[in-house]
């Protein structure tokens, strides 16, 4: 892998990139930043680790936007990929993506109370990793709890909690609020995990990064991605109206809630912290799921470390 | 010469012979009373097939109104009707429907043609069967969900993949039903065709296809619902509109009323499609005299 | 119409038909037909192809739910039909077809005897489509006879049989009639057959019973008998065939 | 009286009358040569149905060996065989298979019985049809995936839910095929049954069920593959073993070789199940004389 | 067997059969049958029910792929079969059944004429199951005749017809034979019918042709003719029926 070959300063003409990052796409459109793209883009509405990886494998996609887990599993399974951009939340502990929902009457107040309980677990997804990390943080082993394998799609988790099929399940987005609103009366509660669960990445397969033209285009895209992130931070009203209400079909109320839940997202020009946390996650998952741990450097392309922050600085 | 058998033991266990009388006074109207017990299902109840669904809707309405159904579990019908209104007002339902319908009907048409051709080929030639039948059974044995990664590999993530997936799904019932019906055609009619020195074309269009039509139409009933149902799977992948996409999105955000709107649309599409095929069945199979009529 | 037919007392009659009408679309097949058949009476029904004989039989058997029509019908519950097509269930063996709906080993035994009587001993386990046309017809006959009906409706039950087998079946039918005295309505195209078997012969034409002839010849009936020949000529002329020389071209 | 019609124009377009001769010397062996062109598919090729799958495997082996197939896209057969070996050695494959087979066969049996009873009820009574047919069509129109949350609510996430889901899936083809076949029974046989004064029981067991058997068996062919295929969906939920679970897990992690092992197992299960039903078909439908034989 | 049958020159014969054997399981139906039929010859085939007449016809038509057997067969390509069952495609209308495989409007026209000839004018658009038994049989006859075959194989084509309709069909067949001179093999159970139509009569029994009788009576043939009666008696005795008084019980 030629991850040391310097990035080209300009994107060669004729370069095409297939990008699976629908949220940024919308932000670029609304903000007008999309006009600055100097190469041709094919947008794909693909998100989530398994799907993005499948599309990578099929050579149908060049770059995707996910959390921390997918790049790790891809490398364990013969699909070399690297993260090329990283952003986090402004106050990550106060603004986590997930909270643990507790079934009515389960009597759980802290992570330590997880012992002996049934916990919804979706291996291979961020929620699954979070459960393992929460157990680790509470000093529990996998065998101290009952992991109930459930896909986290849609409202499966809140429904499973409400019907007391599980005691604990990580909830995200509107489901956090909706779960309490609907079942709080019955005794449903939430537990904060106090862990970092906020990283967001762009990642691309090695063979795309090895193509100098595409790598240059990726660099340009990373810059725009950073500026789009900034733009969303600064224009929450427009964002709610255009994205959550206009495109996703949510109510204004839900949109506002989600924006508040996310808080501000910041693009970092220094990956050392995130690499450290990633390495811990890799080691934990390897130990719990029976994989060989590997060096975190395998899943970062350091050429892009400063790309995002540089683009931000330049635009201001 | 005849030694008449004696079946008195048999007879004694049957109802004793008695007279039954009936009179039909009115002239020129269908005679309905009769002396013989009727074993078939009898005449069709008008709108009979709509009774079951109507009852379910009634149950839903009553259950929600009387508070038997927890609205957190199943939204009340009026909530769903409201959501319907909202989605239509916003134009989302129509847009999604048009996108989905285009995909579904395109996939259906392609699958229909290919499935029928495969069935006739495999049905009339042992070599065709050897080459076609196994792969079709293999396709059938693999869950679509598990096939998606491969389909993405081969057909990408664009419209082509979506239509192909639907067509592949549709091919299965069309092929299997048509092939089965075709192989089930009474050999007496094949003998007849042989003595009439029919061309292969005439044989296919006069004997084989019309003879296999009842089977084909049953396959079509499966195909028309399958093409809608497949949307849920294919529109998870790189779709920005469509009914499946709409449901998926709503599931992500927990919009139960929108999910139910989607399901209700599915049900209506399914019932209407199936109903249309049944109507077609009654028309083109009017030559049949069966238990049904 | 002969006067006797309407004067049977209700107690002694097997079939009582008044004003029977049947039509398909615009075509009236049976037009206000009246008929009485006494218990134990053997009636033959003649008529051109398409004149409505099968339609009449089906109406008597109560099998025309979907046919337009009106009329009064009285028939015994315990009737049995030999259809014009043999109508064997293709998915049941020969013996199963004969004993359809008969319970237990007694039914089996009776079925086996009936099959032997129609000359099909040893074919019990065959499938219907492994039988010749005449063999199928005989299975259908056996199926009807084994039930010992009060009324036997038979639609050309001997049509596919050769001369010898046909004579044997005639004997069989006669003996059964002598024993259990069912009323019989037999559709046939063979005028000689009708004359040699029946007590009474009807001719159906254009929706009406245009002939109702009582046959008073002694049995067994001799085809050479001049009275036989006279009845034959009369019936044939009713059917539109002018003879001397019987079937001259 | 006859004015003979003239069809010389017709005749001229047919091949002129000619003599064809053939001799079969050997005694007592089936006569194969014949003067008349045969329109049916002809005699079965031994192991004909296995040719297609065998060719596919060959293609896969050759493609992988010659480097046409990118192993990242489709693992090579030997990799899959290796994975097979590994999984068997670890005992995972066997365990998963036993778990899945139990679920599948239980669901199949329950679905079979219920589906048949529903079909007979709806087939022989208009009221039964009015109540049963609509709901079945509705079930059919809703994608299983979209039904899962409701099934969890009603049946929990335990074994009960899994078996129920499979049974519900199996009911559909069994019901529809049996109902359709039953309604398609020639009315002449129903007339016959009416004149024989059969009991309802005899009518069902002597006329209706055997007459609908070809349709039922076709439904069974769908049902036996469906019960395996459904595993992928139900074993996403609270399963810790099973073939569907194995594939799901592998898909989440992107383990292509394990996915392929799962698919190969599915294919084998599907082909064997289908083959068994076809064998049964040939045995119990031996009375049929059709295009197939 | 009459010597003439094996001495036909290959050029002038329509059917040439040597050593034909057919068996079902262990039962031999045709046992080394030899037969020649000359072009234009009208042959009637008699035999008991189940004697193998239909099996023989099927073999001649080349339709017994799945039956065990051996033998030499020569038949013209252009042959036509009237099956014992009418065998109309239930999913085609009457006219479509008659013109099956005939191309274009000429075929349609011929089909319509043929239907009118068998007395079914105006029933073109009916479905087969809307016809009476005899009507179906006549459609099958029309379908065969409209093709003007060199060899007509007819398996009891008049079995379900009344006397008058039957005579009309006889006339029709005779006129067609006079015009196009096909060879005909007609299976019938009606001995009088065989004598009045055929040039030659065969009787099949126990797998062998036990009778091969040339009929030299002038046509039209008079049923009252004593030679007619003599042939009838001879054939009936071959079929196992002893007459005087013909069909006395
Ligand atoms: N389902 C039907 N629809 C329309 N017409 C019908 C139907 N069934 C019978 N017919 C017509 O009714 C007439 C009488 O039919 P039927 O079967 O009773 O005649 P049949 O006397 O039994 O004749 P055959 O001796 O040829 O059997 C025929 O012309 C026939 O075409
Ligand atoms: N597929 C079969 N399997 C076994 N036996 C058969 C089969 N087809 C016919 N047979 C038997 O072969 C014999 C000859 O049958 P065939 O149909 O040729 O008789 P047939 O002379 O035409 O009789 P009929 O006058 O009753 O039509 C019969 O005994 C019949 O049962
Ligand atoms: Mg009739
Ligand atoms: Mg025969």
């Amino acid at each position: 892998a030629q991850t040391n070959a310097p990035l080209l300063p300009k994107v060669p003409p004729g370069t095409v990139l297939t990008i699976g990052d629908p949220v940024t796409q919308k932000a670029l459109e609304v903000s007008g930043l999309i006009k600055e793209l100097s190469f041709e883009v094919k947008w794909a509405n693909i998100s989530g680790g398994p799907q993005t990886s499948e599309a990578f494998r099929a050579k149908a996609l060049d770059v995707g936007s996910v959390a921390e887990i997918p790049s790790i599993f891809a490398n364990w399974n013969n699909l070399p990929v690297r993260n090329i951009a990283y952003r986090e939340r402004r106050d990550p502990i106060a603004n986590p993506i997930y909270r643990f929902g507790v079934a009515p009457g389960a009597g759980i107040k802290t992570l330590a109370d997880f012992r002996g309980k049934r916990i919804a677990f979706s291996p291979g997804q961020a929620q699954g990793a979070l459960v393992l990390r929460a157990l680790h943080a509470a000093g529990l082993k996998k065998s101290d709890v009952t992991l109930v394998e459930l896909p986290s799609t849609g409202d499966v988790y809140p429904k499973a909690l409400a019907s007391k099929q599980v005691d604990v399940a990580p909830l995200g987005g509107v489901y956090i609020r909706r779960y309490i609103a609907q079942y709080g009366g019955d005794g449903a509660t939430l537990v904060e995990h106090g862990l970092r669960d906020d990283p967001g990445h762009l990642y691309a397969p090695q063979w795309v990064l090895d193509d100098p033209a595409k790598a240059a285009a990726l660099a340009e895209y990373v810059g725009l991605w950073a500026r789009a992130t900034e733009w969303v931070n600064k224009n929450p009203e427009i964002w709610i109206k255009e994205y959550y209400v206009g495109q996703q079909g949510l109510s204004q109320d839900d949109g506002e809630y989600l924006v508040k839940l996310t808080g501000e997202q910041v693009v970092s020009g220094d990956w050392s912290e995130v690499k450290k946390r990633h390495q811990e996650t890799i080691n934990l998952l390897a130990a719990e799921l029976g994989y060989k741990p590997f060096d975190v450097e395998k899943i970062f392309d350091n050429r892009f470390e400063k790309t995002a922050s540089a683009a931000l600085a330049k635009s201001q | 010469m005849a030694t008449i058998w004696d079946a008195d033991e048999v007879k004694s266990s049957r109802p004793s012979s008695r007279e039954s009388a009936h009179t039909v006074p009115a002239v020129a109207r269908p005679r309905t009373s009769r002396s013989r017990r009727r074993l078939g299902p009898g005449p069709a109840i008008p709108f009979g097939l709509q009774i079951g669904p109507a009852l379910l809707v009634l149950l839903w309405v009553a259950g929600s109104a009387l508070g038997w159904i927890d609205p957190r579990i199943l939204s009340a019908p009026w909530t769903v009707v409201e959501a319907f209104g909202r989605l239509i007002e916003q134009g989302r339902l129509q847009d999604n429907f048009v996108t989905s319908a285009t995909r579904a009907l395109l996939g259906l048409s392609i699958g229909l043609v290919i499935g029928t051709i495969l069935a006739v080929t495999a049905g009339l030639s042992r070599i065709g069967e050897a080459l076609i039948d196994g792969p079709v059974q293999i396709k059938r044995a693999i869950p679509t969900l598990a096939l998606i990664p491969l389909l993405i590999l081969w057909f990408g993530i664009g419209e082509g993949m979506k239509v192909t997936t639907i067509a592949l799904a549709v091919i299965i019932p069309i092929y299997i039903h048509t092939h089965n019906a075709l192989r089930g055609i009474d050999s007496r009619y094949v003998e007849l065709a042989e003595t009439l020195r029919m061309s292969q074309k005439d044989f296919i269009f006069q004997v084989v296809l019309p003879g296999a039509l009842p089977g084909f139409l049953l396959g079509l009933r499966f195909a028309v619902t399958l093409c809608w149902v497949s949307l849920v799977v294919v529109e998870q992948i790189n779709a920005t509109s469509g009914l499946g996409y709409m449901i998926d999105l709503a599931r992500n955000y927990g919009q139960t009323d929108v999910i139910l709107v989607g399901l209700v649309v599915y049900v209506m599409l399914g019932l209407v499609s199936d109903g249309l095929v049944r109507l077609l069945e009654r028309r083109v199979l009017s030559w049949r005299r069966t238990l049904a009529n | 119409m002969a006067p006797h037919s309407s004067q049977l007392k209700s107690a002694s009659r097997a079939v009582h038909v008044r004003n029977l009408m049947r039509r398909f679309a615009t075509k009236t097949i049976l037009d206000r037909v009246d008929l009485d058949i006494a218990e134990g009476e053997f009636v033959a029904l003649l008529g051109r192809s398409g004149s409505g004989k099968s339609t009449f039989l089906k109406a008597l058997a109560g099998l025309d739910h979907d046919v337009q029509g009106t009329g009064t019908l009285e028939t015994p519950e315990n009737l049995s039909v030999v259809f014009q097509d043999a109508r064997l269930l293709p998915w049941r063996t020969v013996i199963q077809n004969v004993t359809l709906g008969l319970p237990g080993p007694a039914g089996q035994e009776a079925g086996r005897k009936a099959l032997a009587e129609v000359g099909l001993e040893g074919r019990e386990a065959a499938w219907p489509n492994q039988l010749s046309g005449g063999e199928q017809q005989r299975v259908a006959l056996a199926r009807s006879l084994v039930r010992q009906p009060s009324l036997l409706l038979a639609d050309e039950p001997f049509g596919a049989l050769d001369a010898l087998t046909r004579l044997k079946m005639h004997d069989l039918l006669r003996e059964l009639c002598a024993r259990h005295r069912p009323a019989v309505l037999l559709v046939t195209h063979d005028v000689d057959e009708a004359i040699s078997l029946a007590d009474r012969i009807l001719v159906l034409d254009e929706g009406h019973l245009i002939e109702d002839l009582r046959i008073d010849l002694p049995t067994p009936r001799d085809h050479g008998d001049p009275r036989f020949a006279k009845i034959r000529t009369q019936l044939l002329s009713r059917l539109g065939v002018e003879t001397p020389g019987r079937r001259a071209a």
Side-chain angles (χ1 to χ4, degrees), chain C residues 58 61-63 65-66 77-81 83 85-92 96-97 100-103 127 129-130 143 147:
Chain C
K58 273 191 153 192
L63 291 178
H65 316 286
D66 51 349
E77 178 76 359
N78 176 24
L79 60 75
S80 188
V81 184
F83 293 92
D85 55 327
R87 207 165 291 195
L88 306 179
L89 296 179
W91 50 77
R92 301 276 96 166
Q96 287 172 331
N97 261 287
L100 270 178
L102 296 186
W127 296 112
N129 63 18
Q130 293 178 322
R143 179 173 59 195
R147 275 150 232 277

Side-chain angles (χ1 to χ4, degrees), chain C residues 48-55 84 155-156 187 189:
Chain C
R48 300 234 186 119
S49 171
S51 59
K53 305 179 294 297
S54 300
T55 307
Q84 192 166 7
D155 202 346
E156 295 190 54
V187 173
H189 286 310

Side-chain angles (χ1 to χ4, degrees), chain B residues 167-182:
Chain B
L168 281 176
V170 165
I171 284 176
I172 302 297
I174 294 292
Y175 169 85
I176 294 194
H177 284 94
T178 311
H179 181 259
N180 186 72
L182 201 153

